[in-house]
Amino acid sequence: MILGSVSVFAQKPHTSKDLLGKWEGKDAHSEVGGLFFLKNNKAIVNARGSYSPAMNYTVDFTANPVKIDLSVQNPQGGRMNVKGLLQFIDNNTIKFQLSPGGNR
């Protein structure tokens, strides 16, 4: 029990650098999609075969699960903000959820 507790506290906290790259998976409806986290806090979402425009993202790694906010300029000139949550399962796996309605 002591060793298990020590290893939990010894884990390094995640940073934006851990998100960089391509993440792919299936949603609850078995639809294949992906996320591309790019440098300069830009992200692209791939869902149902189409890609979103590049969005800005901010991440709060102090929260558990991690809070993420995506923001993009819409064609009418306003900004669209989408809140989400993500959780690192291990260094190669995340769970990700977007809440287009505004609530996490």
Side-chain angles (χ1 to χ4, degrees):
M1 185 69 157
I2 294 173
L3 291 177
S5 298
V6 171
S7 67
V8 169
F9 292 114
Q11 292 177 357
K12 85 171 177 78
H14 290 283
T15 67
S16 291
K17 188 175 180 181
D18 298 324
L19 280 179
L20 292 179
K22 182 178 181 179
W23 298 85
E24 292 183 310
K26 292 184 180 181
D27 66 12
H29 306 287
S30 296
E31 294 283 339
V32 176
L35 295 161
F36 301 88
F37 289 101
L38 310 170
K39 292 181 180 179
N40 300 324
N41 290 55
K42 298 285 185 187
I44 297 172
V45 176
N46 173 15
R48 296 185 186 114
S50 64
Y51 294 86
S52 72
M55 297 179 267
N56 295 314
Y57 71 89
T58 57
V59 184
D60 178 1
F61 286 100
T62 64
N64 186 16
V66 174
K67 293 178 182 179
I68 184 166
D69 293 325
L70 300 168
S71 176
V72 66
Q73 189 84 25
N74 69 28
Q76 291 77 27
R79 292 206 72 74
M80 181 175 74
N81 298 308
V82 179
K83 296 181 179 186
L85 297 169
L86 67 89
Q87 181 180 23
F88 284 89
I89 304 305
D90 57 39
N91 288 337
N92 298 311
T93 310
I94 60 172
K95 285 186 178 181
F96 186 79
Q97 179 180 7
L98 289 177
S99 303
N103 298 322
R104 286 185 220 282

